[in-house]
Amino acid sequence: MTQDKAGRLCLAKGRKAGQMAELSLVEQIARRAERIYRAVMPIAVWGIVVLGGYLLWPYLSRLVWPYLSRPDVLAIIDLSRQAARRPPSPNSRFLKKLFSEPITPEHESPNEPPIVAGDGLHARCRDMERHFFADFAEFADIVNRWFAAYSPWRLKQLPDDDVRLNVDFSSGPIFGRCYAIFHNQVELGRLEIQPQLPTYDTATPEVITEIELHSVRLLSYDTIADFLSVIAMYVCDSNPKDGKSYTNPNEAIVGALTKALWETQRITEFADWGELSLRFNGLATRLYFDHREHHREALQEKRGHR
């Protein structure tokens, strides 16, 4: 009796172990099937989407394309696509020098225009150029004295005397005084002044002033406008007697700043911090010549005390 009971017990245990093994196999198959489903399902969905788009595109394009091809819609799409465009950030060393202390310029005297032998228009023009060079010998010192009172701008006279900003060299070199433009420790551009030939003389000291600046959007509007206004204050006077049209400095400054802003906001593949180009055409002002005389008198007095 005890042996029969022990046998039935062993048989029951064997059946239970078999059922557990069978359930374990089913669970394994179910889990594997679930993994396969998760891996294949995204591919199947994308395949269905691509196939559906391919089949429906001819019908959708007839409905949507006329709207998307409108110029205003295309402009909005292009603007939104390029909206994240930003100029590269300036490094900390550049910014530190830009907003530090003004430099003390060490001017480099340019070579005087060569003397041309003979008579004729060309020789007379060279005399006018020498007259101009003498008139503007102290230009950088006079402007810097004004800036020293309130502004971080400075001019440094350069040794080259051939102007190159917006000029045509087909008739040979054009002589003028050239300056590097500094904002504190950073050189931000170039300024050139040349005489208007063949009319430059003491009575009508007409000059052409070219200015180029870069990275102007790193500075405030007023900072740039103040610099340009000071330059115009010395080189952009009008002569109402001859009825000649000279540059209106206020209009020219606003126009140049607006153009610089427009060019930096315009959607292109290039990015920068703003380029500004400006020309003044006018007479050297009475204020400039008065300040020049005061400057020369101060230098003479200083020499006399030595």
Side-chain angles (χ1 to χ4, degrees), residues 85-88 215 217 260 263-265 268 270-275:
R85 182 185 69 91
R86 292 290 184 274
S215 304
R217 290 187 63 208
E263 290 300 320
T264 53
Q265 294 298 320
T268 67
F270 304 105
D272 57 60
W273 283 110
E275 305 290 331

Side-chain angles (χ1 to χ4, degrees), residues 107-122:
H107 302 304
E108 302 178 68
S109 299
N111 298 321
E112 298 298 324
I115 298 174
V116 178
D119 298 324
L121 177 62
H122 194 55

Side-chain angles (χ1 to χ4, degrees), residues 147-164:
F147 284 145
Y150 73 98
S151 174
W153 295 100
R154 296 293 186 273
L155 293 184
K156 176 183 176 180
Q157 185 165 251
L158 299 174
D160 55 324
D161 53 13
D162 290 351
V163 300
R164 62 171 186 252

